Amino acid sequence: SHIRHAWDPTKSVAQNLAEMGLAEDPNKAVPIPKKKLLGMQVESDGRKQGKKIVQKPYVVNEMEYEASLPEKKSNTLSRDLIDYVRYMIQNHGENYKEMARDEKNYYQDTPKQIKRKINVYKNFYPEEYKDFIESLKQEKMDVQ
């Protein structure tokens, strides 16, 4: 978005990027020195890098600031997986073999796969899992 706002449609791509202090071709911006086989001598390609005047430095500054912000972790499970795990626990408890034979096991998960999905749910939502197990115990107490 920062580049889009600073873009001048009357100029070429190379001119626009040069004004912002960005490189059009990364190979030209940071050239890799050519080495001989033994690595004893390093050849330079003889090109002299001229100083370019950056007319819009705020673009690079804003992009660097945005990149330095911490990443927001949004690890969540899908609603389908949560419903699937809750259904299996509600109907079969800890019996994973029975869960594997259940008709709602559409993807034909093995008992180990189902156990792994339940453990993932436990790790992502430990409080919700505890509350769910407590509510199941309450239902069993009420029925008896």
Side-chain angles (χ1 to χ4, degrees):
S1 66
H2 306 296
I3 294 173
R4 190 176 299 127
H5 292 298
W7 196 264
D8 184 3
T10 61
K11 296 180 181 176
S12 70
V13 174
Q15 289 171 336
N16 271 308
L17 292 176
E19 283 183 359
M20 293 178 216
L22 301 173
E24 176 188 16
D25 184 7
N27 295 322
K28 291 179 183 173
V30 183
I32 300 172
K34 296 181 182 178
K35 296 182 180 180
K36 285 196 171 189
L37 292 176
L38 298 175
M40 298 276 194
Q41 296 176 341
V42 178
E43 296 178 15
S44 64
D45 50 350
R47 281 189 265 162
K48 292 185 179 178
Q49 299 263 338
K51 281 281 188 183
K52 295 180 183 173
I53 299 171
V54 180
Q55 295 176 352
K56 300 177 184 178
Y58 61 89
V59 175
V60 175
N61 294 339
E62 288 172 355
M63 290 174 66
E64 286 175 348
Y65 171 74
E66 205 170 280
S68 70
L69 293 175
E71 216 174 294
K72 182 182 176 186
K73 291 188 178 183
S74 61
N75 293 340
T76 58
L77 299 178
S78 68
R79 190 75 231 162
D80 293 336
L81 181 64
I82 293 170
D83 293 340
Y84 172 77
V85 167
R86 288 173 145 248
Y87 169 82
M88 290 297 183
I89 293 172
Q90 190 171 8
N91 291 325
H92 305 292
E94 293 285 319
N95 191 345
Y96 300 110
K97 288 184 180 180
E98 213 176 283
M99 290 179 192
R101 289 190 220 108
D102 192 289
E103 65 182 17
K104 291 261 184 164
N105 184 6
Y106 300 125
Y107 297 110
Q108 298 181 351
D109 292 328
T110 63
K112 280 188 175 182
Q113 289 172 321
I114 294 172
K115 185 176 182 178
R116 197 175 310 125
K117 287 181 179 181
I118 291 172
N119 286 335
V120 166
Y121 175 72
K122 285 180 189 178
N123 292 337
F124 270 81
Y125 304 106
E127 294 297 321
E128 188 176 316
Y129 177 76
K130 287 178 187 175
D131 294 341
F132 178 64
I133 296 299
E134 289 298 320
S135 69
L136 289 178
K137 287 180 183 176
Q138 287 295 331
E139 287 178 18
K140 286 183 181 178
M141 297 284 274
D142 293 342
V143 170
Q144 292 176 355

